[in-house]
Amino acid sequence: MAAKKPIKKKQMRIRTTSGAVLVADYDDLPFTELYKQWRQACKDVSAADMFMDVRNFNLLEAVKESGTIDRVYSDNMASPRSPNKGGVEVIRQLDAIAAKKNDLQKTQLPFLKKLIAELESHTVAESITNPRNILFSDPIINAKGHIIRSRYVYGHYRTKRYESWRSSKKDADTGKYENVPACPKSWYNSDKDMATPPMWQALYAPTASGRGQIIQSKGLLPIIEEYFDEVKDLTYSGTRDNPISITSRTIAKDLFEAFPEVEEEVKSWVREDSPFLKTDLTLYGKQASESLSLIPIKAETAREMEVFEAILKVQNLGLDVDTIYIKVTPLQCNRMALMVKDYADRLKSRTYEERVASNRRAQSKRANEEVERRRATGQGKKPKKKK
């Protein structure tokens, strides 16, 4: 009987601003399916479906031109000639995320967080920027069809009163009374925060069905919130292939003191029989740096979590990261080595002959072989035998 192939786990990948690639196993992240369904559902709702007197327009175009999402990008994208370009950019960004749902670039997670905050900001009580609170004048007519007064209505203008007013008028070209039917009653209301017009449905509808609902999908905000929460709640780990590059000149002391794994690694470089020491007892900094990049640094063992989070630069996103890998410069490796008192004392007490001793090529080769041995061991492989 043939052996079963191992089930390949799905992985979420996030590239952070620190340069790290974080990965996490997941069961299901249905963003792509839900977003594409939402996008098509909006596109299928025409201007006529929305009781709007315009042509070649649909609900998706209305969302793109909506000021509700425009402000996510309006600071650097809007202009007098294209005031709502920000909304177009928001949809473009969401399209890009849906195309690669399990691979977020470094700007995309902050973008989702900002978009959620922006959409939520319009849902505060009686917000005038919430589509359900758009204000219209609702005409009240007399028996002759003349407007005698009006009252405020929110959400949509095509009310029963508007229908009565327009239906009492004759078309100038045909001479027939106009046929301007009212929209669903749930789309407008005399009170704020009660109407559910198409734009509100597209952005905020909690389910794919409801009274007067024309879009066959949940709203954009619930879809994004569900995805963001699932992504945020996963447990991430860094990868050996993409260690975080640290170039700060003052980080050596913090790394050495904050992480037991780093301290242990540094001490292994400077023991008396270490392959990382040259003939003159100075450190092979390049090889030490490569060796350190292979060491998993655990959040659970960190003495100072602030250093762990500062390296990642994702503390504001609330991600749960359990392991990272780092890449420091050879200079920082030398500085950390000098924090080992025994080694620092040995360097100071070197004889003249030890100070001027020439390094042998075999010694450098031994350091490189040690790095490869550690790399293979970390990958679960057997190290190559020395010839």
Side-chain angles (χ1 to χ4, degrees), residues 37-82:
Q37 179 183 336
W38 171 86
R39 199 184 196 284
Q40 188 59 50
C42 287
K43 198 171 182 180
D44 289 341
V45 178
S46 67
D49 294 331
M50 293 184 283
F51 293 80
M52 296 173 63
D53 295 325
V54 292
R55 293 181 179 178
N56 301 322
F57 196 68
N58 58 49
L59 184 52
L60 182 62
E61 294 302 319
V63 171
K64 290 180 181 180
E65 296 185 9
S66 166
T68 310
I69 64 171
D70 174 56
R71 293 198 300 177
V72 175
Y73 277 94
S74 60
D75 291 344
N76 58 1
M77 300 211 53
S79 69
R81 291 185 179 181
S82 183

Side-chain angles (χ1 to χ4, degrees), residues 215-227:
I215 176 175
Q216 303 303 305
S217 167
K218 290 195 291 189
L220 184 60
L221 178 59
I223 291 172
I224 297 173
E225 283 182 321
E226 179 181 342
Y227 177 64

Side-chain angles (χ1 to χ4, degrees), residues 14-20 105-107 110 244 311-314:
I14 295 180
R15 289 172 171 80
T16 73
T17 54
S18 65
Q105 304 301 310
K106 62 184 180 181
T107 59
I244 304 167
I311 291 171
L312 274 173
K313 299 179 183 176
V314 295

Side-chain angles (χ1 to χ4, degrees), residues 21-301:
V21 174
L22 304 176
V23 298
D25 295 333
Y26 70 92
D27 294 325
D28 192 29
L29 295 174
F31 175 73
T32 296
E33 179 184 345
L34 290 176
Y35 173 73
K36 288 184 176 179
Q37 179 183 336
W38 171 86
R39 199 184 196 284
Q40 188 59 50
C42 287
K43 198 171 182 180
D44 289 341
V45 178
S46 67
D49 294 331
M50 293 184 283
F51 293 80
M52 296 173 63
D53 295 325
V54 292
R55 293 181 179 178
N56 301 322
F57 196 68
N58 58 49
L59 184 52
L60 182 62
E61 294 302 319
V63 171
K64 290 180 181 180
E65 296 185 9
S66 166
T68 310
I69 64 171
D70 174 56
R71 293 198 300 177
V72 175
Y73 277 94
S74 60
D75 291 344
N76 58 1
M77 300 211 53
S79 69
R81 291 185 179 181
S82 183
N84 294 313
K85 191 174 181 181
V88 175
E89 177 63 12
V90 166
I91 299 301
R92 190 192 70 78
Q93 287 275 11
L94 291 173
D95 288 347
I97 293 172
K100 299 182 73 174
K101 67 173 181 179
N102 63 336
D103 191 357
L104 287 173
Q105 304 301 310
K106 62 184 180 181
T107 59
Q108 289 175 329
L109 203 58
F111 157 73
L112 287 174
K113 186 177 182 181
K114 185 177 180 182
L115 179 56
I116 290 170
E118 181 63 32
L119 287 169
E120 286 180 338
S121 73
H122 301 285
T123 63
V124 296
E126 300 189 356
S127 169
I128 61 173
T129 55
N130 190 324
R132 72 188 336 178
N133 292 331
I134 297 175
L135 181 64
F136 298 96
S137 291
D138 193 23
I140 299 175
I141 61 175
N142 59 20
K144 294 182 179 181
H146 299 143
I147 298 175
I148 54 175
R149 63 180 185 275
S150 63
R151 66 168 191 170
Y152 291 141
V153 69
Y154 301 96
H156 208 292
Y157 73 97
R158 289 281 280 269
T159 66
K160 278 292 183 182
R161 284 193 173 94
Y162 184 89
E163 178 185 20
S164 298
W165 172 58
R166 289 288 298 270
S167 298
S168 67
K169 296 173 149 318
K170 288 185 178 181
D171 186 279
D173 296 326
T174 64
K176 296 180 179 179
Y177 286 102
E178 295 183 357
N179 179 25
V180 184
C183 68
K185 192 173 181 180
S186 59
W187 292 12
Y188 59 90
N189 201 287
S190 57
D191 295 321
K192 289 183 178 180
D193 300 326
M194 298 298 292
T196 59
M199 180 63 74
W200 179 88
Q201 296 176 29
L203 298 179
Y204 300 111
T207 64
S209 61
R211 182 168 169 244
Q213 187 149 330
I214 194 173
I215 176 175
Q216 303 303 305
S217 167
K218 290 195 291 189
L220 184 60
L221 178 59
I223 291 172
I224 297 173
E225 283 182 321
E226 179 181 342
Y227 177 64
F228 185 82
D229 287 343
E230 288 183 338
V231 167
K232 188 165 61 75
D233 289 344
L234 296 174
T235 299
Y236 292 86
S237 299
T239 62
R240 277 187 166 195
D241 296 335
N242 294 278
I244 304 167
S245 183
I246 301 175
T247 57
S248 169
R249 295 181 179 182
T250 60
I251 196 68
K253 185 173 184 293
D254 288 340
L255 294 176
F256 188 81
E257 294 179 350
F259 306 124
E261 299 93 338
V262 173
E263 181 182 355
E264 183 180 349
E265 170 69 10
V266 172
K267 287 180 177 179
S268 77
W269 300 339
V270 298
R271 66 176 188 265
E272 291 192 9
D273 60 341
S274 170
F276 292 98
L277 292 181
K278 301 177 183 178
T279 308
D280 64 358
L281 298 185
T282 57
L283 188 70
Y284 280 109
K286 179 182 177 182
Q287 288 86 344
S289 173
E290 290 179 7
S291 181
L292 180 60
S293 71
L294 304 175
I295 303 299
I297 298 173
K298 303 286 186 180
E300 63 183 7
T301 60

